[in-house]
Amino acid sequence: MNEALAAGTLLIADPFLKDPNFMRTVVFLCDHQAEGSIGFVINRRYEKNIGELVTELEMCNFPVYYGGPVQRDTLHFLHQCPDLIEGGVEITTGIYWGGDFEQVAALIKKGELESGMIRFYLGYSGWGEEQLDSELNEKTWLITPGNAKLVFHKNISLIWQDALKQLGGKYEQLINYPLDPQLN
């Protein structure tokens, strides 16, 4: 198992990755163990808001993000509010996964939870035993530590680029690579 991988790691898709589920994405790993890994694509917006998916929040226009291709009928969330939402698991400093959804709904209805404090994901990204290690060996992903600035970025269209900038050096050049180098 790759020692550099752990919960809280960001997986940055290689600029030439053609898989439509992960092309130019950043995945925040929430769990990484020998049996497998789970995370959420943090830079791909889903076409509906939370109010269109959850009837008890029908007036809420908080965005929903495409978490990944696995179990796209499930809803997950990351947040920065452990003092407001019970039951969340701290993945890395200031980023919590899950918690009491009834509390979340009540806080949203009362106007006590802002959209920048929570992110909802439809589905998740998952890897079986040694699958992610294999993808890292194939250079499918670059890795960097996750942080609240990237996970809760105000402009999701910049997350992939900003994650590469966090790596620095030669990786910053990847930002300018075209989607299809044959068209260059």
Side-chain angles (χ1 to χ4, degrees), residues 64-83:
V64 175
Y65 299 87
Y66 171 78
V70 182
Q71 292 187 348
R72 292 178 60 187
D73 59 344
T74 59
L75 186 66
H76 308 268
F77 60 95
L78 297 173
H79 64 89
Q80 303 179 80
C81 323
D83 52 327

Side-chain angles (χ1 to χ4, degrees), residues 76-98:
H76 308 268
F77 60 95
L78 297 173
H79 64 89
Q80 303 179 80
C81 323
D83 52 327
L84 297 174
I85 303 168
E86 295 174 2
V89 176
E90 186 172 29
I91 302 303
T92 192
T93 305
I95 304 173
Y96 297 80
W97 176 22

Side-chain angles (χ1 to χ4, degrees), residues 11-32:
L11 303 174
I12 307 165
D14 177 85
F16 303 116
L17 180 63
K18 298 291 185 214
D19 181 338
N21 292 304
F22 297 109
M23 188 169 27
R24 302 263 167 132
T25 62
V26 177
V27 176
F28 180 68
L29 277 185
C30 290
D31 192 16
H32 178 69

Side-chain angles (χ1 to χ4, degrees), residues 1 5 42 45 55 63 75 95 97 107 111 131 133-134 136-138 143 146 170 177:
M1 191 159 86
L5 283 178
I42 61 172
R45 177 93 198 276
T55 53
L75 186 66
I95 304 173
W97 176 22
L107 290 165
Q131 183 181 1
D133 290 325
S134 174
L136 283 170
N137 290 335
E138 294 168 3
I143 57 175
K170 65 182 181 180
Y177 282 30

